Amino acid sequence: MKFCVVTLFPEFVKSIVSFSIIKNALAKKILEFETINIRDFATDSYKTVDDRPYGGGAGMILKIDVLEKALTSVKKEPKAKTILLDPRGKRFTQKKAEEYSLLNQLIIVSGHYEGIDERINYFIDEKVSLGDFILTGGEIASLALIDSVGRLIPGVINQNSLTKESRPPFFLEYPQYTRPEVYKHHRVPPVLLSGDHAKIKKWRENASGKLGVK
Ligand SMILES: C[S@@+](CC[C@H](N)C(=O)[O-])C[C@H]1O[C@@H](n2cnc3c(N)ncnc32)[C@H](O)[C@@H]1O
């Protein structure tokens, strides 16, 4: 699986390659990662990537000509999808992460400033929102997306960790504890120390959460 992030701030997004599970998966070439700097595709000597909105209004809008050049520079794999991070997009869910994990390539367009020329719609497959809040840019959203999709790729994490959460109804982990048994008067639930595996199993089933159910 290859992630390609089209962004004004590649260094920000590159932080994901330096840590923990995703770093290891990249080293093992289970995942691939590339950033495309939108500014490299500006056509004037000032490296202009944005302009004022038609009709007036606050902020600056990323220019469609520069963005399209950045997008078409990406070599597309056979099973690829191009998505735009947008608070108006469809809410990103575990189900969506599953769907993306079956692709060969996910091209992620990260906006910044006031927004992006709406004609980007002609060059993307879908819009994705991380939730009903506004970030200053799509970089943090792209990191969350890469992390959640990347961990579903076989070999990235222990597959046993995925079995419950990756199928509908998307069970979440039950509460977990490790030593010490008592910490500042707070005890580990006694059933977990009982050695009774049937009881432990039942307790864990009851205590498991479900994604989307609070
Ligand atoms: C400041 S936001 C633009 C918000 C835009 N003016 C609006 O009201 O919809 C800049 C960029 O951050 C990203 N972004 C902000 N919030 C997001 C969210 N909830 N999910 C995904 N991307 C988001 C998008 O790429 C967006 O183009």
Side-chain angles (χ1 to χ4, degrees), residues 61-62 84-89 109-116 128-139 141-142:
I61 306 299
L62 283 174
L84 171 69
L85 294 167
D86 189 328
R88 291 173 298 167
V109 183
S110 168
H112 218 92
Y113 308 129
E114 186 58 23
I116 295 183
V128 178
S129 166
L130 219 65
D132 291 335
F133 48 83
I134 310 292
L135 300 161
T136 59
E139 288 73 24
S142 71

Side-chain angles (χ1 to χ4, degrees), residues 102-148:
L102 303 176
L103 299 169
N104 291 333
Q105 185 186 27
L106 190 62
I107 303 162
I108 304 169
V109 183
S110 168
H112 218 92
Y113 308 129
E114 186 58 23
I116 295 183
D117 187 310
E118 192 68 12
R119 288 167 288 186
I120 186 75
N121 289 343
Y122 298 110
F123 308 103
I124 58 163
D125 296 309
E126 52 195 62
K127 293 180 179 181
V128 178
S129 166
L130 219 65
D132 291 335
F133 48 83
I134 310 292
L135 300 161
T136 59
E139 288 73 24
I140 293 173
S142 71
L143 295 178
L145 218 97
I146 293 169
D147 197 78
S148 61

Side-chain angles (χ1 to χ4, degrees), residues 87-99:
R88 291 173 298 167
K90 217 168 160 206
R91 178 79 68 88
F92 185 63
T93 59
Q94 187 67 19
K95 194 159 175 275
K96 223 7 159 189
E98 285 280 324
E99 189 188 309

Side-chain angles (χ1 to χ4, degrees), residues 12 25 37-38 45-46 51 116 130 139 141 145 152-153 158 175:
F12 192 159
N37 189 341
I38 297 169
S45 54
Y46 296 104
D51 208 337
I116 295 183
L130 219 65
E139 288 73 24
L145 218 97
L152 298 175
I153 308 296
N158 182 333

Side-chain angles (χ1 to χ4, degrees), residues 34-190:
E34 181 191 7
T35 53
I36 295 92
N37 189 341
I38 297 169
R39 207 169 287 283
D40 290 344
F41 298 87
T43 48
D44 63 356
S45 54
Y46 296 104
K47 294 276 173 203
T48 308
V49 292
D50 55 358
D51 208 337
R52 285 167 299 169
Y54 277 125
M60 297 294 272
I61 306 299
L62 283 174
K63 286 162 65 63
I64 190 62
D65 52 337
V66 179
L67 265 172
E68 201 227 336
K69 282 197 185 76
L71 261 179
T72 46
S73 77
V74 181
K75 190 175 168 287
K76 258 190 150 177
E77 308 271 335
K79 263 170 68 188
K81 210 163 220 183
T82 304
I83 62 168
L84 171 69
L85 294 167
D86 189 328
R88 291 173 298 167
K90 217 168 160 206
R91 178 79 68 88
F92 185 63
T93 59
Q94 187 67 19
K95 194 159 175 275
K96 223 7 159 189
E98 285 280 324
E99 189 188 309
Y100 290 160
S101 74
L102 303 176
L103 299 169
N104 291 333
Q105 185 186 27
L106 190 62
I107 303 162
I108 304 169
V109 183
S110 168
H112 218 92
Y113 308 129
E114 186 58 23
I116 295 183
D117 187 310
E118 192 68 12
R119 288 167 288 186
I120 186 75
N121 289 343
Y122 298 110
F123 308 103
I124 58 163
D125 296 309
E126 52 195 62
K127 293 180 179 181
V128 178
S129 166
L130 219 65
D132 291 335
F133 48 83
I134 310 292
L135 300 161
T136 59
E139 288 73 24
I140 293 173
S142 71
L143 295 178
L145 218 97
I146 293 169
D147 197 78
S148 61
V149 175
R151 69 190 283 285
L152 298 175
I153 308 296
V156 173
I157 63 171
N158 182 333
Q159 292 302 286
N160 290 337
S161 305
L162 293 178
T163 48
K164 282 177 117 193
E165 70 192 42
S166 61
R167 283 193 304 264
F170 300 114
F171 280 110
L172 289 170
E173 198 71 82
Y174 38 78
Q176 308 251 44
Y177 299 84
T178 187
R179 285 187 291 184
E181 269 180 47
V182 183
Y183 183 67
K184 295 191 173 169
H185 311 295
H186 303 295
R187 288 194 160 276
V188 171

